[in-house]
Amino acid sequence: MGRHHARVLAGLDGVDFVGVVDPMGDTYGAAQGAPVLDTVEQLLALGVDYTVVACPTALHEEVGLQLAEAGVCALVEKPVADTVEGARRMVEAFESRGLVAGVGHIERCNPALRSLRARLEAGELGDVYQVVTRRQGPFPHRIADVGVVKDLATHDIDLTGWVTGREYVSIAAHVVSKSGRPHEDMVSAVGRLDDGTMVNHLVNWLSPLKERFTSVTGERGCFIADTLTADLTFHSNAAVATEWEALQAFRGVAEGDMIRYAIQKREPLLVEHELFRDAVLGKPADICTLRQGMRTVEVAAAVLESAVSGRSVDLRAEELATHGS
């Protein structure tokens, strides 16, 4: 992701792109003319205001704490850290110093999901019943230090909480390892949000079919977002709401109209950087905070815990055990 961040930062209004840290050098020719440095200390010596952390997940905490100690704001690629404890230390380090810090959960900047969230907030779906995501595709050779839960499922965990405005309260999961690596390659998870909404996540990186599917089903129909094409469609429930109220009971639904929305399709990574730049400048900006990113890591850890134990994990109990009542 570093080369993509460099491309966007080099052309971002209001930002001077001053340097890249990569001990391996500029392998992809992505530095955009900026100096390529060996260490974080060399970058800090340039007097930077904020940085993007796009190194392997296992190094996020080490680099992040170094930046926080230096008083530098940071946009950290997801997941914010490879452990719950590491994520909490990151939150404490940046929050205690009053520094702006965010997590690169880029699906929040996908045009289809931004439109979906706005429509849910406006009450267009009525009561929400279920969120289903499918994220499948070929094996990503760029990933070596984490499994599919931390690398890919964290996208779906974060976007589900973000579009609904709700928290996970329980999760149950199964995983499969087929590639011969020490990490899982597939996960199927079922969970519940704090308003009773049911969630289902199917994630793998062993499929020749590339799919990025999110559906939200509710009282008035179903939204379907394809985040590969940034398309959003709505399948309406033809049953009339007033009829339901008169019957005072759920009697089923009927197939209604389908609407495909016309959405302005800006590059999600550019939107993400514009939001973070504005946050650093003190302007209102809807970024994924470190604390929100930490919660996603907690849910991901619960997914793996459930897969090992064979039991559903109560995230409310986990939170109370950690933070106290």
Side-chain angles (χ1 to χ4, degrees), residues 142-171:
R142 61 184 174 81
I143 299 299
D145 60 337
V146 294
V148 73
V149 171
K150 291 181 180 179
D151 182 57
L152 293 183
T154 47
H155 279 301
D156 297 311
I157 293 167
D158 179 74
L159 76 84
T160 296
W162 180 71
V163 298
T164 61
R166 296 295 179 176
E167 294 274 353
Y168 284 77
V169 296
S170 67
I171 198 82

Side-chain angles (χ1 to χ4, degrees), residues 3-302:
R3 53 179 162 161
H4 300 296
H5 284 295
R7 171 181 55 81
V8 173
L9 285 167
L12 188 62
D13 289 342
V15 171
D16 294 324
F17 182 47
V18 298
V20 177
V21 175
D22 194 331
M24 302 298 293
D26 191 7
T27 307
Y28 297 102
Q32 307 290 322
V36 180
L37 311 169
D38 294 325
T39 66
V40 174
E41 290 83 359
Q42 291 173 336
L43 183 66
L44 293 174
L46 298 178
V48 293
D49 299 303
Y50 80 90
T51 62
V52 175
V53 179
C55 56
T57 304
L59 297 175
H60 284 186
E61 181 186 356
E62 176 186 337
V63 174
L65 295 182
Q66 191 175 0
L67 295 171
E69 180 67 26
V72 175
C73 301
L75 174 62
V76 184
E77 260 302 337
K78 62 84 207 161
V80 62
D82 63 344
T83 66
V84 172
E85 295 75 18
R88 290 171 183 160
R89 287 189 288 267
M90 289 271 280
V91 169
E92 170 62 22
F94 282 92
E95 285 188 353
S96 66
R97 294 171 172 85
L99 296 169
V100 176
V103 186
H105 281 292
I106 197 168
E107 292 287 38
R108 293 188 179 207
C109 300
N110 187 286
L113 292 177
R114 291 179 73 81
S115 179
L116 170 56
R117 184 189 190 220
R119 294 176 186 281
L120 291 179
E121 288 180 337
E124 293 185 18
L125 197 59
D127 289 340
V128 175
Y129 303 149
Q130 182 185 48
V131 180
V132 175
T133 69
R134 297 196 302 269
R135 185 174 298 268
Q136 306 181 89
F139 183 78
H141 294 286
R142 61 184 174 81
I143 299 299
D145 60 337
V146 294
V148 73
V149 171
K150 291 181 180 179
D151 182 57
L152 293 183
T154 47
H155 279 301
D156 297 311
I157 293 167
D158 179 74
L159 76 84
T160 296
W162 180 71
V163 298
T164 61
R166 296 295 179 176
E167 294 274 353
Y168 284 77
V169 296
S170 67
I171 198 82
H174 295 283
V175 298
V176 173
S177 299
K178 293 292 185 181
S179 66
R181 300 164 68 253
H183 305 291
E184 75 288 345
D185 303 308
M186 295 181 170
V187 61
S188 178
V190 178
R192 186 165 58 89
L193 305 181
D194 57 12
D195 64 344
T197 298
M198 182 171 68
V199 299
N200 302 75
H201 302 308
L202 179 64
V203 189
N204 79 71
W205 52 28
L206 297 181
S207 171
L209 167 69
K210 190 168 185 179
E211 184 179 33
R212 301 288 184 268
F213 172 95
T214 300
S215 72
V216 182
T217 302
E219 176 184 3
R220 296 175 184 152
C222 175
F223 283 112
I224 296 178
D226 182 335
T227 53
L228 283 176
T229 60
D231 288 326
L232 178 67
T233 56
F234 176 63
H235 298 259
S236 69
N237 171 19
V240 180
T242 54
E243 178 186 345
W244 284 14
E245 293 167 0
L247 293 172
Q248 294 184 342
F250 183 81
R251 299 296 177 89
V253 298
E255 185 175 357
D257 297 330
M258 184 189 80
I259 302 170
R260 180 177 177 272
Y261 297 104
I263 302 171
Q264 183 183 15
K265 296 182 179 181
R266 302 183 67 226
E267 183 186 0
L269 191 61
L270 174 59
V271 173
E272 180 179 82
H273 277 290
E274 288 175 343
L275 291 171
F276 192 74
R277 173 203 61 197
D278 290 348
V280 172
L281 291 173
K283 300 177 182 179
D286 182 24
I287 66 171
C288 177
T289 66
L290 285 194
R291 188 165 289 276
Q292 291 168 341
M294 176 187 73
R295 184 57 175 169
T296 295
V297 172
E298 290 174 342
V299 176

